[in-house]
Amino acid sequence: MQYDDSEHQVVALEGTSVRLRSAGGRNSVVLLPFLLASPEFAVVDGEPFPELEPLGLLDGLPSEVLAAAKEWERHIVEVMTGLPPDAEPGATKRPEYDPELHPLGERDQAKASELGTAPSAPSAPAGLAMPRRGCGGWWISGRCASGRRPGEST
């Protein structure tokens, strides 16, 4: 793995501590959350991690809240990728949401205009579940379903 400007090998795990050995033979211990959050961290080789759905994240929500959350997710996926989640293979991105043509702020503004809302104040009723960047989950009644507010560390 790549960390702290050099390659390292994981030699031991104990609780949340990771013991590393650098390519130069230096040993160190790093807390796993710190390691994974580091912008320098990268897996050098090996199999890619599988993509997993966050199981149970929305269990127990009322059906109308869940439906509204999924509609918000559809809009956010389109803003982030240029295509809605159910787009056919080979579909063309709508120009106003194409990440290669517009920065995120312009794509947000285009979606806000399309929905008739201000980008800083989505027209979602209080308590409605909606995806929110920086939250790591769904925003429900002023709190992330992940249990943290946007910007809080995990």
Side-chain angles (χ1 to χ4, degrees):
M1 59 168 270
Q2 184 74 29
Y3 173 70
D4 200 21
D5 295 324
S6 64
E7 281 193 28
H8 289 77
Q9 179 182 18
V10 176
V11 293
L13 295 171
E14 184 177 330
T16 60
S17 297
V18 180
R19 184 173 300 277
L20 304 173
R21 181 172 295 129
S22 72
R26 189 184 69 147
N27 291 315
S28 60
V29 177
V30 182
L31 292 175
L32 181 61
F34 180 79
L35 177 66
L36 295 176
S38 172
E40 303 165 337
F41 173 77
V43 176
V44 176
D45 59 16
E47 295 295 317
F49 293 114
E51 290 190 28
L52 300 174
E53 290 294 320
L55 298 175
L57 185 62
L58 304 178
D59 289 351
L61 291 177
S63 60
E64 65 274 4
V65 171
L66 184 58
K70 288 185 180 215
E71 185 59 28
W72 274 102
E73 178 183 40
R74 177 180 167 69
H75 293 301
I76 289 176
V77 167
E78 185 174 25
V79 168
M80 298 303 290
T81 67
L83 292 169
D86 57 354
E88 295 292 324
T92 303
K93 296 174 183 175
R94 291 172 56 190
E96 62 270 29
Y97 302 120
D98 189 337
E100 295 176 15
L101 300 176
H102 299 284
L104 182 58
E106 289 178 15
R107 299 189 319 264
D108 276 342
Q109 183 61 50
K111 181 56 78 171
S113 296
E114 178 183 316
L115 298 175
T117 63
S120 61
S123 62
L128 181 66
M130 60 183 163
R132 184 154 174 174
R133 283 192 305 272
C135 168
W138 292 86
W139 188 253
I140 304 171
S141 298
R143 190 125 186 106
C144 279
S146 66
R148 61 186 177 88
R149 293 192 180 276
E152 286 182 348
S153 299
T154 54

